[in-house]
């Protein structure tokens, strides 16, 4: 009977631990028609293109992200390297701006500012500002080329959407302020009548 109770306690403990570990992970996914700006716990920013996802530890102490799809990163400098893991390999940096596009067919990394290192199971390659790295076949390694910065098309669209939202919020804020002043005046009038 004691073995059965101990086994139940162990299983219960493992279930609780699994739940806690799962709930400590943050996952964000975009649909086909949406973009998303994610402010990461270390102050870095991830701009997710459509049909993309990232997941990371809620505390973000290790500054490690798992990614699918296309994400542009603006990384805050830090003592701990910032890593992005994809199916084909891992990108590691300390502080920079770069785009990672991870699909079933390939991995592309473009560096807009700074220096990143792309690591696969076969090789590690430094990628400088203005360069693009491709991994299509792990056996062939990493191919380098000139960056095309195609990500700027969708990141500019996101930036435009954010500016429009800011204008709408500002307009709504002014309207709210106007209405609250009117309510305040009406309330003062009513209070004077009561006195």
């Amino acid at each position: 009977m004691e073995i059965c109770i101990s086994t139940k306690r162990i299983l219960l403990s493992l279930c609780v631990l699994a739940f806690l570990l799962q709930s400590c992970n943050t996952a964000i996914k975009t649909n086909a028609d949406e973009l998303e700006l994610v402010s990461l716990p270390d102050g870095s920013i991830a701009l997710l293109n459509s049909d993309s996802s990232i997941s990371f530890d809620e505390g973000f102490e290790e500054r490690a992200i798992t990614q699918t799809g296309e994400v542009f990163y603006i990384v805050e400098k830090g003592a701990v390297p910032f890593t992005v893991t994809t199916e084909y390999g891992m990108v590691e940096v300390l502080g920079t701006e770069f785009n990672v596009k991870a699909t079933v067919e390939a991995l592309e990394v473009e560096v807009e500012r700074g220096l990143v290192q792309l690591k696969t199971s076969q090789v590690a390659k430094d990628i400088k500002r203005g360069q693009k790295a491709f991994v299509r076949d792990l056996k062939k390694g990493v191919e380098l080329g000139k960056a095309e910065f195609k990500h700027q098309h969708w990141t500019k669209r996101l930036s435009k959407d954010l500016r429009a939202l800011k204008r709408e919020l500002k307009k709504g804020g002014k309207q709210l302020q106007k209405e609250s002043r009117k309510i305040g005046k009406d309330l003062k009038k009513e209070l004077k009548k009561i006195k």
Side-chain angles (χ1 to χ4, degrees):
M1 190 63 134
E2 284 182 36
I3 294 173
C4 188
I5 292 172
S6 295
T7 305
K8 286 181 182 177
R9 284 183 182 159
I10 291 171
L11 287 173
L12 180 63
S13 296
L14 288 174
C15 288
V16 169
L17 181 61
F19 173 75
L20 289 174
L21 288 174
Q22 192 175 32
S23 66
C24 292
N25 209 18
T26 302
I28 299 158
K29 181 170 179 24
T30 56
N31 294 322
D33 60 345
E34 67 181 349
L35 305 173
E36 184 149 352
L37 182 144
V38 178
S39 182
L40 299 167
D42 71 340
S44 297
I45 295 172
L47 303 171
L48 280 72
N49 198 355
S50 57
D51 287 324
S52 301
S53 70
I54 59 172
S55 63
F56 52 91
D57 172 21
E58 192 174 298
F60 208 58
E61 287 86 19
E62 294 182 17
R63 292 179 18 128
I65 290 182
T66 302
Q67 170 192 323
T68 62
E70 184 173 13
V71 182
F72 181 79
Y73 295 95
I74 302 170
V75 179
E76 286 292 317
K77 290 185 180 184
V80 177
F82 186 98
T83 60
V84 178
T85 303
T86 71
E87 183 179 339
Y88 280 93
M90 181 176 80
V91 181
E92 184 176 283
V93 298
L94 287 173
T96 189
E97 294 178 16
F98 61 101
N99 191 65
V100 177
K101 185 175 183 179
T103 64
V104 175
E105 297 87 26
L107 170 64
E108 293 179 17
V109 178
E110 287 189 331
V111 179
E112 198 164 297
R113 187 171 61 87
L115 176 74
V116 304
Q117 186 175 67
L118 174 59
K119 296 178 183 179
T120 68
S121 58
Q122 306 291 321
V123 69
K125 193 77 133 180
D126 289 344
I127 307 161
K128 301 175 193 168
R129 177 180 184 227
Q131 285 186 320
K132 180 179 191 173
F134 306 91
V135 179
R136 290 191 181 96
D137 182 354
L138 290 173
K139 292 176 186 172
K140 291 183 179 179
V142 178
E143 302 170 45
L144 289 178
K146 185 177 178 182
E148 298 172 31
F149 301 123
K150 291 180 181 177
H151 65 273
Q152 291 178 346
H153 297 292
W154 64 267
T155 57
K156 283 181 183 176
R157 189 177 106 210
L158 179 60
S159 180
K160 182 180 173 185
D161 291 346
L162 289 172
R163 281 194 303 274
L165 179 60
K166 183 180 174 183
R167 282 192 302 272
E168 287 297 315
L169 288 172
K170 191 174 182 179
K171 183 179 172 183
K174 286 181 182 179
Q175 183 64 31
L176 185 61
Q177 190 177 30
K178 204 177 190 183
E179 289 176 18
S180 64
R181 279 193 210 123
K182 184 181 181 311
I183 291 170
K185 287 178 184 177
D186 292 344
L187 192 58
K188 278 184 183 179
K189 286 179 188 177
E190 291 300 318
L191 287 173
K192 282 183 182 179
K193 287 179 186 178
I194 294 172
K195 288 182 182 179

